[in-house]
Each structure stands twice: as structure tokens, then as C-alpha cells.
Amino acid sequence: MNAFRNVYYLIFAAMILASAACGDDTAAPNYMDRSDNNVRMPGDNNKEPDPTPVEDRVLEAVSPVTATAEKYTLVRLEAALVLEDSRTPVVGELVDFTVLQAPDSTLELSADSIETDEDGVAGIDVTVGATAGQIIIRASHPGTTPVEFRIEVTDQAPGAIEVEIFPPAGVTVNLAPYRVRAYDTEQFGDCQAIPPRADLAGATAEATSQGQLVLMENVPAEKTYTVLVQALGTSASAIAYGCVDAVTVETRETTSISVSLRMIPLNPTGTYKVTGFWDISEAVRTSGDAGNIIVGLIDFMSNPGMFLYDLIIDELQQASGLDLTFLAALGVPTIVSDAINGWLFQNSDLARFNEIAVGQQTMLYNLEVESELVIEKTEADLTFIGYEHWQKIILNLSWQCDVNSPPDCGRYEIPVDPDGNLPALGYVSYDWTGEVVDYDGLKLDSLQTQIEYGKLLVLIIEKVVMPELTGGNADTLAGALNYWVDCPGLAQDLVGSGIGATIVDTACQAALTTAAGVIVAPLQNENVVFDLVFDGEATMKDTASNGWVDEIRDGENVGTMVNSGAPVTVEWSATLVEP
């Protein structure tokens, strides 16, 4: 056994020596090199990571793009190359500087191209030449918008203008930043020639500051300037301004001026939606017979029993020829009016009727009106013209609502028809004239209009109130009275049967006819027409801070009845619909 194992070992050793001898073969071993980092493992789909998004580059001026210099002096020009979104400086990139215009060939650039530094800034020195005039030098970098620098070469050393700004008194809005510009008077004219909101290019010198002391340096000397100061605030245009004429700059001297600002009046031109509340209570009460009619209607609504009693007594006195005033001493008016109200109402109905009367009185004396106001044009002197057209009358039937009702409960709208006419009133419109005062004030000149209030009242009574009071059983006052009052039953309750009952029944029927006629007929005959004259004022609001009005608040028009002098007031507000 051991001999066999020894033979096995000898054979195995021989095989190993043979393999070693074959190692001199120059053929490359047949195996895969797994050290290659490019070999991907299953599941990675051989995808490369997404590259970081490339930002656009922008070239921006660092030094002022306008400068003034004497002959043979140095001017430093600098531009920065940054990434547009992150504002990261781009370092080590060439920026080229090219002369586009020069008064002569004596100017020199310290370099035509220069690399940006760690802040992304590339700068050169310009030695201006021997001739006065304008030099234009362009800074450029591939793929960006070039920047142009302008140097005004003068025969004299420049001066400076120091401006102290005084805001308007009492103004609480933020006026800063302030934009200050000096315009050559010979080229641009004086303050009268430069509009307050003007954003004119070509200023000789300019500066923007958060503070109220501003210094403009390197201003060409021996010239006269118009200095315009504009307060920008948060607006896209100036909201306040000041201007000084005839500002002279001397060589190597600073000219100090003070500028008082004033607010730039807002521009109200546009189309507005107006909501107005017309208080015509005094006009109604002092309108003579017409006022008595309306007041009578309110009296009827407040106590229909007493109202009809008075009419019945009038009828009985005319029929009998007797003076029945003594009945008051006997308490008959109360007895009869209570009896009538008992016929008209059951349980709590009288209280509800009175509640409706109070609500109607408020509604009739205080009209809510929606209208369209168009201010067509605002002139340079801040005067304007326009017109207002009624679009809708809104009635608030408060008796339909309680504390748990939604906000629009009881709202009843009477809109215009396609031709712009309101039912009963027709086309209600009047012209506006006025002016803008004190930046945000709106002053209205006298305006005149006519309202056929009688027709409106009939419309409200017959189409809104009477259906509400009768559960839809009547849409006229006469129909409502006949629906409510049982004259034969009333007569029987008062005097029993016989001739007395007939007389009372007849008087009751006549009283109903009289009541309807007294209240409605004069109104239908157009006897209640209000001729009104107004003037007013309001406050304009520029909530978008763009110099244009988008709201009008605290409007109040105060007027009078032409024939009686009774006061009429309108409180209103407006929202811009279209500039």
C-alpha cells in the first residue's frame, strides 16, 4: 500500500514539473481581466450619471457705463462675467475690450483682452486722448450680450452735483429708492419740458439711492443742467418727483441743491364698477304731495287698520253729512282699527306686517345701486370727463331673513335690459366732470340727474312687496286690499246687520278703492320725479403701485332736490374693471 502511495506521489510531482516547463510558452493566458472599471455590473444599464445643468453666462458692467474725464486722464473700466442664475463668478475667461468710437487716435487701452479674476471681473485702464468728445468702448465675451461704456472727454475737469431730497410732508408710504438725473438743459429743456414720470435716456449724470443725500460725480463742467428727482418706492414708475432748473456745474467744484418732492397725482382713467347707497329720505319727506303719498304708504304699512279707519270715516261723513270726530273721544278709532287689523291678520301676522313695513321703509328711503362709471380721459391739468350709467337696483328684503340666514338672504336685483334700461326708470345716466387733487383725491363738479322715483316705487310695491305680503295672491295694492279685507264681515262685526251694516260695508269698499287710488295712481301718473344736483369727492387707491387707480373709496356725493332744496346723499365705492 505504501509502495502504491509513493508511486502516486512521484507521478504527481512529474506533472507539476511538466507544467512548470510549459510556462515558457509566450501565449497569453486565457482569462478575463476583471480589474477594468468600465465593466458594469448587471442592472446598471451602462448609464452615465446626468451632467450638472449648464447655466448661461452674462456679462455685466461693474464700473459706471457713463463717465466724464479730462484730456490725458485715466478711466478705469470693469465688467464681470457671472453665471446668470447662481451669480457665481466665472474665473479665468478672456473679456475683450474694443474701441467703437473716439474723437482721435490718441487714446490708449492698457489691454485689448484680459482674464477674469477670482470675482469674475476683468478690467482695463483707458488713457483718454488729446481731443474732447465721446469715446465708446465695448466689453464682450463669446455667448454673452456686450456691455458698452461711454466716456465724455472734456476740456475742463468735471464737477459734481450734491442733491438733498425732502419728501412731502405727511406721506407715510415708502418713497425710496430715489432716482436722480441731470439733463443737459440745452438738449432737454427745463422742468416744464420733462414730465414727472418721464424715464428719459440720455442723462449726463445719474444716481440711485436709498438715502436722501445723493452725490453725482464726474459731471461735465461749465454747463447748465435740469435735475429731476423721482421717488420710485415699490412702483414701476415714479410716485413722487421734484425738479430744479438752471443747475450750473463748475470745474472741480460741487454744486449743492435741495429738491422738495411732491406726490404725482394718480390717474383715474378707466372703467369702474360702482356700488352706491342713496339716502333720499329727506327728499321724500319734503316732496309736497308726492312726499305725502309715499309717507302715506309707509303709514298704511305701519298700521293698515288705522289708515283704513280714517278713510272709512271720511266716506261715512260724506255719506251722512255728520261730523264724526267725536268718535275719537269714545275710543272708536282704536276699536275699529283693531277690528280691521283683526280681519287682516291672525296671531303674529300683524307683527310680521309691521316688520315688513319697517324693512320696506328702509329699503325705499335708502336705495342700493350698482352702476358703471367710465372716466374717459384725464388731461394734463388733471381734469377729467366721464359718465355713470345705472346697471342694477338692489333691494334687501330683510324681513325674509334671520340671524342664521346666509349673507345674500333677501337680496332682490332689478337689472337693466339688453338696451341698458331699468324697469320703470328707463336709461339712467349722467355725466361726470372733475379733477384730481392732492395726489389721491377725486373732486367731482356739479352733476345733474332725474329719477322717476314714483315709477320705481310702484314697481317695488306691486312686483316685490305685494306678492310677498299676500303669498303670491296679488301683485297690485288694490288686489292686496281686496284679498285682505272682508268688508261685509267687517260691517257685521262692527254694527251687526241692517242698514248700518250696509252703510259700513259701502264705506269700507269705497275706502279700499280710495286707498289704492290715493297711494298708487299719483305714482303711476309720474308725479314723483326727483330732480337732483350733486357734487362730491372720493379717495383713489393705487394698490398695485403702478401710478394708476384700481379702487375708489370713501366716495360721498352731496346733493339737493332742485325744487325743495332737500338734501340727498350718496355713499359709494368703485373697483377698476378695465384700465
Side-chain angles (χ1 to χ4, degrees), residues 180-331:
V180 184
R181 288 172 169 168
Y183 292 97
D184 188 327
T185 302
E186 289 187 2
Q187 182 180 357
F188 289 91
D190 59 12
C191 290
Q192 294 294 324
I194 303 177
R197 285 197 175 93
D199 186 9
L200 300 178
T204 303
E206 67 177 281
T208 301
S209 172
Q210 293 288 336
Q212 296 173 14
L213 190 64
V214 183
L215 180 65
M216 293 185 291
E217 298 181 292
N218 294 318
V219 181
E222 310 303 328
K223 287 188 175 183
T224 301
Y225 298 95
T226 302
V227 177
L228 177 68
V229 179
Q230 295 170 312
L232 302 180
T234 59
S235 175
S237 61
I239 60 175
Y241 83 107
C243 190
V244 176
D245 289 320
V247 178
T248 301
V249 176
E250 304 294 339
T251 298
R252 296 186 177 87
E253 292 187 3
T254 297
T255 301
S256 298
I257 62 172
S258 59
V259 180
S260 297
L261 302 187
R262 56 178 176 231
M263 302 300 292
I264 300 175
L266 298 175
N267 190 331
T269 300
T271 300
Y272 298 84
K273 177 183 177 181
V274 179
T275 300
F277 296 89
W278 291 63
D279 182 355
I280 56 176
S281 54
E282 288 301 316
V284 171
R285 293 189 182 96
T286 59
S287 297
D289 293 337
N292 293 334
I293 293 167
I294 298 170
V295 172
L297 172 63
I298 301 304
D299 290 343
F300 167 74
M301 294 290 293
S302 299
N303 191 337
M306 186 61 70
F307 185 86
L308 291 177
Y309 167 81
D310 291 337
L311 294 178
I312 291 172
I313 291 299
D314 289 342
E315 294 292 337
L316 289 175
Q317 288 186 141
Q318 292 179 14
S320 65
L322 300 176
D323 182 4
L324 302 179
T325 56
F326 69 92
L327 295 175
L330 302 176

Side-chain angles (χ1 to χ4, degrees), residues 36-296:
D36 185 359
N37 290 331
N38 291 323
V39 176
R40 304 298 179 205
M41 297 301 293
D44 68 358
N45 296 322
N46 293 328
K47 289 184 178 179
E48 294 290 343
D50 290 337
T52 302
V54 177
E55 291 187 56
D56 290 335
R57 298 176 175 184
V58 291
L59 188 65
E60 300 175 341
V62 175
S63 58
V65 294
T66 59
T68 302
E70 291 183 83
K71 300 174 184 178
Y72 302 111
T73 58
L74 287 178
V75 177
R76 180 71 176 174
L77 303 183
E78 292 182 335
L81 187 64
V82 298
L83 298 182
E84 184 174 21
D85 296 327
S86 64
R87 312 300 298 168
T88 303
V90 179
V91 180
E93 293 285 336
L94 284 177
V95 175
D96 298 324
F97 290 85
T98 306
V99 178
L100 301 182
Q101 176 182 313
D104 60 23
S105 59
T106 59
L107 72 86
E108 295 180 1
L109 304 184
S110 61
D112 294 328
S113 298
I114 192 167
E115 288 187 355
T116 55
D117 61 18
E118 62 183 6
D119 296 321
V121 175
I124 64 169
D125 292 321
V126 179
T127 303
V128 302
T131 305
Q134 189 177 67
I135 298 171
I136 303 177
I137 297 175
R138 172 183 292 168
S140 61
H141 178 79
T144 65
T145 301
V147 175
E148 290 188 359
F149 298 91
R150 297 172 185 267
I151 304 171
E152 192 71 31
V153 182
T154 63
D155 292 321
Q156 305 88 11
I161 302 176
E162 184 182 67
V163 181
E164 186 174 9
I165 302 169
F166 293 91
V171 174
T172 58
V173 299
N174 178 37
L175 297 179
Y178 301 98
R179 182 171 64 198
V180 184
R181 288 172 169 168
Y183 292 97
D184 188 327
T185 302
E186 289 187 2
Q187 182 180 357
F188 289 91
D190 59 12
C191 290
Q192 294 294 324
I194 303 177
R197 285 197 175 93
D199 186 9
L200 300 178
T204 303
E206 67 177 281
T208 301
S209 172
Q210 293 288 336
Q212 296 173 14
L213 190 64
V214 183
L215 180 65
M216 293 185 291
E217 298 181 292
N218 294 318
V219 181
E222 310 303 328
K223 287 188 175 183
T224 301
Y225 298 95
T226 302
V227 177
L228 177 68
V229 179
Q230 295 170 312
L232 302 180
T234 59
S235 175
S237 61
I239 60 175
Y241 83 107
C243 190
V244 176
D245 289 320
V247 178
T248 301
V249 176
E250 304 294 339
T251 298
R252 296 186 177 87
E253 292 187 3
T254 297
T255 301
S256 298
I257 62 172
S258 59
V259 180
S260 297
L261 302 187
R262 56 178 176 231
M263 302 300 292
I264 300 175
L266 298 175
N267 190 331
T269 300
T271 300
Y272 298 84
K273 177 183 177 181
V274 179
T275 300
F277 296 89
W278 291 63
D279 182 355
I280 56 176
S281 54
E282 288 301 316
V284 171
R285 293 189 182 96
T286 59
S287 297
D289 293 337
N292 293 334
I293 293 167
I294 298 170
V295 172

Side-chain angles (χ1 to χ4, degrees), residues 443-481:
K443 181 180 178 182
L444 306 182
D445 296 336
S446 178
L447 57 90
Q448 188 166 0
T449 188
Q450 187 179 80
I451 302 174
E452 297 186 359
Y453 188 71
K455 288 184 176 181
L456 174 63
L457 198 58
V458 171
L459 176 71
I460 295 173
I461 292 170
E462 298 197 334
K463 302 306 178 186
V464 180
V465 178
M466 291 303 116
E468 170 72 18
L469 294 177
T470 63
N473 288 288
D475 61 1
T476 65
L477 183 57
L481 291 175

Side-chain angles (χ1 to χ4, degrees), residues 525-563:
N525 292 332
E526 306 180 25
N527 289 339
V528 186
V529 178
F530 290 168
D531 286 310
L532 307 174
V533 176
F534 288 98
D535 54 32
E537 58 186 22
T539 301
M540 300 177 291
K541 295 295 181 181
D542 173 20
T543 60
S545 298
N546 58 9
W548 292 80
V549 177
D550 40 41
E551 290 184 13
I552 303 176
R553 303 176 186 171
D554 304 325
E556 183 178 34
N557 296 351
V558 178
T560 57
M561 290 276 291
V562 173
N563 57 349

Side-chain angles (χ1 to χ4, degrees), residues 2 6 21 51 167 183 206 378 413 490 501 516 551 556:
N2 291 332
N6 292 332
Y183 292 97
E206 67 177 281
T378 303
E413 298 182 352
L490 177 63
E551 290 184 13
E556 183 178 34

